[in-house]
């Protein structure tokens, strides 16, 4: 993990841009984060629009999380932003876009072609980023995942044991194969649904929520389209992560994981 730039924002949040194996990323840590008081981490997911395009929204989410005492980090998705082009993914997205613009049904095959290769590429990269981030003295876990392409969040929730809670946005196409993976998810979930999302099949989103295997799962549905997420939805998500990432401190131990040890990288095969 190579830090390429850093700056302290006006609210004291430290923002560091980095690269990891050629993949750009950004890490935000709250002013209070230090080696003596490592903080939990939230991985910030996002759509395939590129970090430069998504930066204002990601930075706002990061600063909100920092105010709650959490570090946040994100990485560029495959084929997006400044990363090398991915022709197959571009062609698949173009086919799906043309079908929607023509008012034609979006087939399962189109959705599979857009989403499944992205999940297969992106999830191992998120895990590699998590490996690197958890070696930093100021980050001690637990770890959450928030937002992004929902299928990436589903796969991470299944294969990555270091993620203990996830906030997911039901605002993207979901391949049928991901419904079976959703049944394997057991961590607490906070799912946001925009009821009138023009780009999302509401019934499919409800069916996906029903498929999740988690004993604790909450669906927050708000009126409005894809970009009409109300401000209070962010506050609800913050309370969710506070419940699951903020561990009680034992007497005589520093703040961090409940047993006083740092989270160690540990993977489970998909």
């Amino acid at each position: 993990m190579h830090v390429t730039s850093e700056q302290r924002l006006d609210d004291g949040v430290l923002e560091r841009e980095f690269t990891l194996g050629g993949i750009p990323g950004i890490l935000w840590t709250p002013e209070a984060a230090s080696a003596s008081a490592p903080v939990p981490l939230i991985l910030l997911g996002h759509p395939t629009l590129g970090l430069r395009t998504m930066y204002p929204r990601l930075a706002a989410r990061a600063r909100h999380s920092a105010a709650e005492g959490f570090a946040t980090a994100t990485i560029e998705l495959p084929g997006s932003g400044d990363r090398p082009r991915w022709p197959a993914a571009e062609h698949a997205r173009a086919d799906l876009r043309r079908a929607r613009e023509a008012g034609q049904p979006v087939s399962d095959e189109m959705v599979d072609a857009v989403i499944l290769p992205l999940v297969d590429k992106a999830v191992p990269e998120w895990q590699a980023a998590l490996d690197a981030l958890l070696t930093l003295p100021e980050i001690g876990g637990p770890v959450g995942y928030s937002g992004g392409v929902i299928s990436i969040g589903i796969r991470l929730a299944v294969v990555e044991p270091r993620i203990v809670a996830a906030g997911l946005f039901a605002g993207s196409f979901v391949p049928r194969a991901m419904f079976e993976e959703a049944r394997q998810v057991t961590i607490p979930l906070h799912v946001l649904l925009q009821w009138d999302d023009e780009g999302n099949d509401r019934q499919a989103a409800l069916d996906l929520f029903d498929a999740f295997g988690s004993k604790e799962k909450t669906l927050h549905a708000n009126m409005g389209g894809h970009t009409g997420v109300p401000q209070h939805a962010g506050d609800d998500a913050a309370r969710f992560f506070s419940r699951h990432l903020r561990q009680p401190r034992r007497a005589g131990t520093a703040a961090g994981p409940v047993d006083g040890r740092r989270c160690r990288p540990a993977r489970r095969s998909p």
Side-chain angles (χ1 to χ4, degrees), residues 147-168:
V149 177
I150 193 169
S151 293
I152 293 176
I154 293 170
R155 176 70 59 79
L156 278 169
V158 172
V159 305
E160 182 46 73
R162 292 170 291 182
I163 294 176
V164 302
L168 305 176

Side-chain angles (χ1 to χ4, degrees), residues 57-123:
R57 278 190 276 175
L58 288 167
R61 289 164 62 191
R63 295 170 87 151
H64 193 180
S65 295
E68 298 293 324
F70 303 137
T72 51
T74 191
I75 57 173
E76 190 73 86
L77 292 175
S80 298
D82 296 329
R83 293 189 63 178
R85 291 184 58 195
W86 187 4
E90 292 177 0
H91 293 157
R93 286 196 291 264
D95 288 344
L96 188 149
R97 185 170 57 251
R98 281 193 294 268
R100 293 182 62 191
E101 290 173 350
Q104 299 172 350
V106 174
S107 68
D108 289 346
E109 291 76 15
M110 288 181 181
V111 174
D112 289 354
V114 170
I115 303 297
L116 293 179
L118 175 64
V119 172
D120 290 342
K121 279 181 173 284
V123 167

Side-chain angles (χ1 to χ4, degrees), residues 11-88:
D11 51 3
V13 176
L14 179 61
E15 177 185 279
R16 284 170 281 183
E17 296 188 8
F18 64 86
T19 60
L20 182 67
I23 302 169
I26 309 174
L27 169 65
W28 293 271
T29 48
E31 191 170 18
S34 69
S36 61
V39 297
L41 172 69
I42 299 175
L43 302 176
L44 297 182
H46 54 88
T48 55
L49 300 176
L51 287 184
R52 294 182 188 276
T53 299
M54 291 300 302
Y55 175 81
R57 278 190 276 175
L58 288 167
R61 289 164 62 191
R63 295 170 87 151
H64 193 180
S65 295
E68 298 293 324
F70 303 137
T72 51
T74 191
I75 57 173
E76 190 73 86
L77 292 175
S80 298
D82 296 329
R83 293 189 63 178
R85 291 184 58 195
W86 187 4

Side-chain angles (χ1 to χ4, degrees), residues 172-194:
S172 55
F173 290 103
V174 181
R176 289 295 167 187
M178 297 304 300
F179 280 68
E180 186 56 40
E181 293 196 36
R183 294 183 178 92
Q184 301 174 49
V185 174
T186 59
I187 62 174
L189 297 177
H190 177 100
V191 182
L192 174 64
L193 171 65
Q194 287 300 103

Side-chain angles (χ1 to χ4, degrees), residues 202-221:
R202 181 196 304 165
Q203 188 57 53
L206 295 174
D207 292 343
L208 177 65
F209 180 78
D210 189 52
F212 283 123
S214 302
K215 291 183 179 179
E216 180 185 335
K217 56 181 180 179
T218 303
L219 178 68
H220 282 242

